[in-house]
């Protein structure tokens, strides 16, 4: 097993026992027990699939990893039954502020939940190990999901009907004949390496210091970002509050640095005290240095081996697009793989996962690259443009959209997905289009997104058709209270209807649908043409 001595431990679990047989056949194997792999396991497990998760570690790791989870991720986790626990443990925030130089007032503010009256907030901050503990607790209640701690994949041989895995555990080796393999094993993916698959893109010539410190300071629960602050002149810095009185501090360092020297406590302390104040006492939690990268694989689906999360794509941390994008991958993949496993769809449906996940990855890479170029300009012209934008932003609203301190994660639309059914000729809409994620809103005593997911749903206002094939009908006209806000958000005029996929994305919409049109749209969304 590869060395794990440099990885900090949050909670020791202990190695799982060696299996009874040296060769076993399993339906779905997920490699990697981070948030993406655990989310995929929970999604598939709740659908009744038999899932085995392999983790090379025999502990839940600590250290500086993901902390910012977006509304879309929270919506997904809420559908999977863990949203409330994530909220209870996290620090809720929506407001971000951007500062420049030594000015005490921000030059720009933004709200991550501009559309109000939704169940989930714009963001929470929660250390990754806390999020993993919530997911592990939920998985422990599912008898059809097994996690094998300390079981490392050391070989893979793809087959037409699956893949053979060689696994090392307790100093011995055994084989798994897997029908499907989901590689959720991170940026340094063993599966990607063993298959010899390329990971291409851009590495930016800059480094950043992460300093997670424990400190009690009377600062609001907001995202604060500085360009050219006095405590890091000519560079940038970021401050985020986490649970347990831990604060995430990021400091731009430049390119030509001594990485080992940069994380020594005596070298980190001046940065921390410069931001927090000389008299503030703090306790180090974790220090590390990272380099901005925006890279991805050419394809995410390789026969029966499917990549998700950082194993498939990686972006710079500013913008919180890495883990949130990976959780979106898991949500996209789970319902499609379930349909394939149950025989309700062919394996060709998974090509839509490849296309949609690549669309999302490219959008995240594009946003992350632009953020990095704005934050760390490499030319005099770039510096002049950035400083002009910051100067104008304080007083002129037109300049504020150009301020880019890390465009934060938002759900990506799939307007060109083959699963979409196009709008009818002449139909005019203001609601979510096919390929768009949903807008939540009040419905009865609860929320819309509590009522959709896990299957195909027809959201209608006065449904008059026959029961659609393979979908349930949610008719807002039959609720006790007329949900005016929801009807307005979705432009759900009387007689209108939407088809919503199991991952809550819109697949189709009609002003006056027939049962036949709905059935055709369902078949199309399952990758089948009528």
């Amino acid at each position: 097993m590869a060395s794990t001595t440099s990885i900090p431990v949050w909670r020791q679990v202990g190695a799982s026992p060696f299996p009874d047989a040296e060769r076993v056949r399993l339906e779905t194997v997920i490699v990697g027990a981070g948030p993406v792999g655990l989310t995929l396991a929970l999604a598939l497990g709740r659908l009744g699939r038999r899932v085995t998760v392999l983790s090379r570690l025999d502990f839940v790791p600590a250290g500086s990893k993901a902390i910012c989870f977006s509304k879309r991720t929270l919506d997904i986790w809420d559908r999977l039954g863990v949203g409330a626990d994530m909220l209870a443990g996290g620090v809720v925030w929506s407001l971000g502020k951007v500062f420049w130089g030594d000015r005490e007032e921000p030059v720009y503010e933004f709200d991550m939940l501009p559309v109000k009256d939704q169940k989930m907030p714009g963001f929470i901050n929660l250390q990754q190990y806390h999020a993993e503990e919530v997911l592990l607790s939920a998985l422990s209640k599912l008898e059809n999901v097994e996690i094998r701690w300390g079981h490392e994949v050391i070989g893979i041989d793809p087959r037409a009907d699956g893949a053979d895995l060689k696994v090392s555990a307790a100093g011995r080796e055994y084989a798994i004949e897997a029908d499907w393999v989901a590689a959720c094993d991170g940026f340094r993916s063993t599966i990607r390496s063993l298959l010899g698959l390329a990971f291409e893109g851009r590495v930016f010539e800059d480094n950043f210091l992460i300093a997670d410190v424990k400190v009690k300071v009377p600062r609001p629960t907001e995202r604060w970002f500085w360009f050219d602050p006095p405590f890091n002149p000519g560079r940038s810095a970021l401050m985020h509050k986490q649970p347990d009185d831990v604060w995430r501090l990021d400091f731009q360092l430049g390119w030509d640095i001594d990485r080992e020297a940069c994380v020594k406590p005596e070298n980190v302390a001046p940065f921390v005290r410069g931001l927090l104040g000389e008299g503030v006492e703090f306790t180090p939690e974790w220090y590390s240095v990272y380099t901005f990268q925006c890279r991805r694989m050419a394809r995410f689906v390789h026969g029966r081996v499917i990549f998700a999360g950082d194993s498939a794509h990686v972006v710079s941390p500013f913008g919180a697009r890495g883990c949130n994008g990976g959780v979106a991958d898991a949500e996209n993949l789970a319902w499609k793989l379930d349909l394939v496993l149950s025989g309700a769809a062919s394996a060709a449906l998974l090509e839509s996962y490849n296309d949609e996940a690549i669309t999302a990855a490219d959008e995240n890479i594009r946003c992350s690259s632009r953020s990095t170029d704005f934050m760390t300009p490499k030319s005099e012209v770039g510096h002049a443009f950035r400083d002009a934008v910051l100067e104008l932003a304080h007083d002129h609203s037109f300049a504020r959209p150009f301020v880019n301190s890390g465009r934060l994660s938002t759900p990506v639309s799939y307007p060109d997905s083959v699963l979409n059914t196009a709008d009818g000729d002449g139909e005019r809409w203001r609601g979510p289009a096919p390929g768009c994620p949903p807008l939540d809103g009040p419905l009865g005593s609860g929320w819309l997104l509590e009522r959709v997911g896990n299957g195909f749903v027809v959201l209608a206002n006065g449904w008059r058709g026959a029961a659609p094939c393979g979908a349930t009908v949610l008719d807002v006209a039959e609720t006790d209270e007329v949900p005016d806000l929801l009807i307005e958000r979705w432009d759900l005029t009387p007689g209108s209807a939407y088809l919503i996929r199991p991952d809550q994305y819109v697949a189709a919409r009609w002003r006056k649908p027939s049962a036949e049109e709905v059935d055709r749209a369902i078949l199309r969304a399952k990758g089948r043409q009528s």
Side-chain angles (χ1 to χ4, degrees):
M1 181 180 293
S3 173
T4 61
T5 55
S6 63
I7 302 174
V9 177
W10 171 252
R11 178 173 66 87
Q12 188 73 44
V13 179
S16 301
F18 195 84
D20 294 336
E22 293 190 355
R23 177 172 291 274
V24 293
R25 182 71 181 255
L26 299 174
E27 182 180 86
T28 302
V29 174
I30 297 172
V31 183
V36 177
L38 296 178
T39 298
L40 179 58
L42 185 58
L44 288 170
R46 284 169 59 94
L47 291 168
R49 310 301 345 164
R50 298 201 65 82
V51 179
T52 303
V53 181
L54 302 179
S55 172
R56 74 182 184 93
L57 306 178
D58 62 359
F59 56 86
V60 177
S64 93
K65 293 188 176 183
I67 64 165
C68 298
F69 298 109
S70 68
K71 180 185 180 301
R72 175 60 185 151
T73 294
L74 295 172
D75 287 339
I76 292 168
W77 282 340
D78 197 47
R79 187 185 69 77
L80 298 176
V82 295
D85 288 338
M86 297 291 186
L87 276 183
V91 172
V92 176
W93 68 276
S94 289
L95 184 65
K97 294 180 179 178
V98 178
F99 298 86
W100 184 31
D102 59 0
R103 305 181 189 191
E104 294 185 2
E105 293 297 316
V107 297
Y108 175 54
E109 297 183 6
F110 57 88
D111 186 347
M112 285 308 299
L113 192 68
V115 179
K116 306 303 180 184
D117 294 304
Q118 301 191 70
K119 181 178 181 180
M120 288 295 167
F123 264 87
I124 66 166
N125 287 352
L126 182 67
Q127 292 94 322
Q128 180 172 318
Y129 46 82
H130 285 321
E132 289 173 355
E133 291 283 24
V134 171
L135 293 165
L136 288 168
S137 177
L139 286 166
S140 70
K141 300 177 176 64
L142 298 178
E143 294 183 356
N144 52 318
V145 177
E146 177 191 11
I147 300 178
R148 298 185 180 181
W149 299 95
H151 287 228
E152 181 180 16
V153 176
I154 59 174
I156 182 169
D157 183 14
R159 310 186 315 266
D161 61 347
D164 293 329
L165 300 175
K166 182 187 293 185
V167 182
S168 174
R172 299 165 59 191
E173 295 178 6
Y174 69 98
I176 295 175
E177 297 177 22
D179 294 338
W180 293 91
V181 174
C184 304
D185 53 343
F187 166 61
R188 295 179 177 85
S189 171
T190 298
I191 301 299
R192 190 182 66 241
S193 177
L194 288 171
L195 291 177
L197 298 171
F199 205 41
E200 298 177 350
R202 187 176 171 194
V203 178
F204 294 83
E205 293 188 359
D206 218 329
N207 294 290
F208 286 77
L209 167 69
I210 286 180
D212 282 355
V213 299
K214 194 161 191 173
V215 58
K216 291 183 181 291
V217 289
R219 293 183 184 243
T221 305
E222 300 168 348
R223 179 188 192 264
W224 284 18
F225 186 95
W226 288 266
F227 289 102
D228 193 19
F231 51 84
N232 196 19
R235 292 174 177 156
S236 63
L238 174 70
M239 183 176 189
H240 256 310
K241 185 178 182 180
Q242 304 176 59
D244 309 325
D245 292 321
V246 176
W247 291 76
R248 165 69 53 87
L249 312 179
D250 281 75
F251 302 94
Q252 184 185 357
L253 297 176
W255 180 240
D256 188 16
I257 64 169
D258 183 335
R259 297 174 72 92
E260 290 187 7
C262 284
V263 296
K264 291 182 177 180
E266 63 269 25
N267 294 329
V268 176
F271 285 101
V272 176
R273 296 202 181 283
L275 192 159
L276 297 178
E278 282 297 330
V280 177
E281 294 298 322
F282 66 91
T283 303
E285 288 278 308
W286 177 252
Y287 297 158
S288 64
V289 173
Y290 63 88
T291 303
F292 274 5
Q293 299 189 48
C294 291
R295 305 166 70 189
R296 73 165 172 87
M297 301 172 66
R299 284 184 55 81
F300 299 170
V301 176
H302 292 263
R304 294 293 189 96
V305 182
I306 305 172
F307 291 80
D310 283 357
S311 68
H313 48 78
V314 65
V315 293
S316 56
F318 285 100
R321 293 175 177 272
C323 191
N324 288 300
V327 171
D329 286 350
E331 174 79 336
N332 190 306
L333 175 59
W335 70 273
K336 296 173 181 178
L337 185 55
D338 175 62
L339 287 179
V340 172
L341 288 167
S342 66
S346 73
L349 176 62
L350 296 173
E351 193 63 25
S352 71
Y353 165 76
N354 182 77
D355 296 343
E356 292 178 354
I358 284 176
T359 295
D362 284 347
E363 174 67 13
N364 287 327
I365 287 172
R366 185 161 44 248
C367 290
S368 186
S369 299
R370 289 172 179 170
S371 296
T372 306
D373 287 335
F374 187 87
M375 291 163 51
T376 61
K378 299 300 187 293
S379 67
E380 290 185 10
V381 172
H383 272 284
F385 171 76
R386 189 193 72 181
D387 290 351
V389 167
L390 293 171
E391 186 69 54
L392 290 166
H394 186 270
D395 298 316
H396 301 282
S397 59
F398 79 86
R400 291 166 193 161
F402 294 100
V403 177
N404 197 336
S405 62
R407 291 274 188 263
L408 284 154
S409 177
T410 54
V412 177
S413 296
Y414 315 129
D416 301 320
S417 173
V418 297
L419 307 187
N420 296 343
T421 294
D423 290 339
D425 293 338
E427 291 186 351
R428 300 176 65 86
W429 289 86
R430 290 178 288 106
C436 285
L439 274 172
D440 200 7
L443 182 60
S445 60
W447 302 92
L448 172 64
L449 295 190
E450 295 174 337
R451 306 280 296 275
V452 298
N454 298 325
F456 287 93
V457 174
V458 176
L459 174 65
N461 184 3
W463 175 255
R464 296 293 179 266
C469 176
T472 58
V473 176
L474 176 58
D475 191 343
V476 300
E478 296 179 355
T479 57
D480 294 336
E481 250 178 71
V482 178
D484 291 332
L485 180 59
L486 188 64
I487 289 172
E488 179 183 352
R489 281 184 182 170
W490 286 73
D491 192 17
L492 200 59
T493 56
S496 298
Y498 283 80
L499 176 64
I500 301 177
R501 303 182 342 184
D503 59 0
Q504 301 176 330
Y505 268 70
V506 174
R509 58 185 180 177
W510 306 269
R511 284 302 180 197
K512 300 291 181 182
S514 68
E516 291 76 13
E517 287 176 315
V518 176
D519 286 342
R520 283 198 297 271
I522 293 171
L523 287 174
R524 185 178 187 88
K526 291 181 178 180
R528 296 158 54 190
Q529 301 298 317
S530 57

